[in-house]
Amino acid sequence: MNINVLQWLEITAKKYSDKSAFSDGNSSISFSQVEKYAKSVGSELCKIVDTGKPVAVISGRHPLTPVAFLGVVYSGCFYAPLDGNMPLARLNTMIKTLETDIILVDEKHLELAKKLQFSGKIVVLEELIHSEIDEAKLQYIRRYSTETDPLYVIFTSGSTGVPKGVI
C-alpha cells in the first residue's frame, strides 16, 4: 500500500480526531480540523490553479500554516513556503523564480503580498478554510498523483546569495 502525506493525515485524523495536531500557545487545531480545512483549501485552489504548479505560501508560525501546505498538496500542486520577514526584493526574486500564478497568504501577510511585484492571484487562507469540500475532485487529483510529484520547494541562498529553489 502506497502511503503519502495525505493518507497519513487522513489515517491520523480518523484515529485521533479530537487530538491537538498543531498549537502555537494561543490556539490549537485538531487532526480532524486539519484534514477538513486542508480539503477545503485544496478544493478551492484546484478551481484556480492547474495541477502540478507551484503555489507560494506566505504564512506565520500558527496552526493554520500546515493547513495551507496540505491544502496545496490536496489541490495537486506543490508549495513553496516563503518567510514574510524577508526583504521584498528577495521575496520578489523567489516569486519570479517560481513562475507561480498564485500566492496563498494568511490575513497577517496580505498587505505584504500586495506590495510584491506579482500580477497573479493572491488568496487568503482564512477565507478558504470553510469552503465546500469537493471530494470527487480531490479524489480525481489523487488518482493521478505519483510518488515523483514535487511536494514542496525550499529556497536556499547558496554561496552567491541569490535564492535558488530546491524541490
Side-chain angles (χ1 to χ4, degrees):
M1 170 191 336
N2 288 335
I3 301 235
N4 66 32
V5 68
L6 299 178
Q7 288 170 311
W8 283 330
L9 170 62
E10 292 161 2
I11 289 167
T12 305
K14 188 174 186 175
K15 189 173 182 179
Y16 302 107
S17 177
D18 295 327
K19 187 173 181 175
S20 179
F22 300 102
S23 176
D24 64 3
N26 296 318
S27 61
S28 64
I29 186 170
S30 70
F31 282 104
S32 62
Q33 288 173 309
V34 171
E35 179 186 14
K36 179 183 179 292
Y37 293 164
K39 284 182 173 183
S40 293
V41 170
S43 294
E44 286 300 308
L45 288 178
C46 67
K47 293 176 186 176
I48 58 176
V49 66
D50 292 333
T51 301
K53 298 291 185 177
V55 175
V57 177
I58 304 174
S59 184
R61 294 183 183 268
H62 54 78
L64 287 180
T65 299
V67 167
F69 298 155
L70 292 164
V72 171
V73 177
Y74 268 115
S75 75
C77 296
F78 59 100
Y79 64 92
L82 303 180
D83 183 349
N85 294 319
M86 291 183 176
L88 283 177
R90 187 168 181 80
L91 289 170
N92 283 325
T93 300
M94 293 175 183
I95 295 291
K96 183 178 179 184
T97 300
L98 280 173
E99 297 180 359
T100 186
D101 297 325
I102 187 164
I103 299 175
L104 178 60
V105 300
D106 59 14
E107 289 172 344
K108 179 182 174 187
H109 291 91
L110 178 58
E111 292 308 313
L112 168 72
K114 290 178 180 179
K115 294 177 186 174
L116 294 169
Q117 296 170 351
F118 177 69
S119 59
K121 187 165 182 68
I122 298 171
V123 184
V124 180
L125 173 62
E126 289 87 346
E127 294 175 5
L128 301 184
I129 62 173
H130 298 294
S131 300
E132 186 174 334
I133 296 171
D134 186 344
E135 286 286 356
K137 181 68 173 177
L138 298 180
Q139 287 302 316
Y140 178 82
I141 291 168
R142 286 268 284 285
R143 190 174 317 124
Y144 294 101
S145 297
T146 69
E147 67 275 359
T148 59
D149 290 343
L151 181 63
Y152 67 91
V153 172
I154 193 82
F155 279 90
T156 177
S157 60
S159 59
T160 65
V162 176
K164 293 173 208 63
V166 179
I167 296 178

